[in-house]
Amino acid sequence: MHRKLGKQGEELVLEHERVRLLSGDRSDLARQLEWTSEVRGDGAGYDIRSFELDGAERLIEVKTTNGPSLTPFFLSENERAFSEERPDVFRLVRLHDFRDKPRAFQLIPPLGQWVKLMPTAYRASF
């Protein structure tokens, strides 16, 4: 269920990005949009490759919930690390109230200034 909801959220954000770019007279950039998590899998650290109207890259991680805006969410270590490696282009889009009336807001790195990040898993190795 979570995977289906996540995919639906990503699809909504992808379409929003397409409309934003086309409305900004950037059909050239709209054609270059990439649903990265679908094309290359989940390991990139973001879900969608988009652009600012000036052509700068915009790499979006989408987090979707049917709950209210302050519903906690999971962020992978890869996503967190990527947000720190590329803070200039990383954007986290939080979709909430998805089932009833989808709304969204954006978080810009450093993510720790907006949310409390708590480790929930550890990798043990030899």
Side-chain angles (χ1 to χ4, degrees), residues 20-31:
R20 183 181 63 79
L21 291 168
L22 290 172
S23 297
D25 200 28
R26 293 305 307 257
S27 59
D28 58 325
L29 296 176
R31 286 190 299 273

Side-chain angles (χ1 to χ4, degrees), residues 75-90:
L75 187 71
S76 74
E77 172 57 22
N78 187 44
E79 293 160 353
R80 186 205 60 78
F82 187 78
S83 78
E84 290 184 0
E85 290 169 21
R86 301 290 312 275
D88 54 323
V89 297
F90 182 90

Side-chain angles (χ1 to χ4, degrees), residues 78-110:
N78 187 44
E79 293 160 353
R80 186 205 60 78
F82 187 78
S83 78
E84 290 184 0
E85 290 169 21
R86 301 290 312 275
D88 54 323
V89 297
F90 182 90
R91 300 294 178 260
L92 190 146
V93 172
R94 178 60 163 153
L95 285 172
H96 57 92
D97 299 296
F98 189 78
R99 180 179 36 238
D100 300 325
K101 184 179 179 186
R103 290 179 283 175
F105 60 88
Q106 177 177 265
L107 301 178
I108 298 171

Side-chain angles (χ1 to χ4, degrees), residues 122-126:
Y122 295 88
R123 178 177 178 207
S125 61
F126 295 97

Side-chain angles (χ1 to χ4, degrees), residues 42-57:
D42 257 348
Y46 60 94
D47 298 315
I48 296 167
R49 180 175 177 254
S50 185
F51 303 90
E52 301 293 350
L53 293 179
D54 67 4
E57 201 170 40

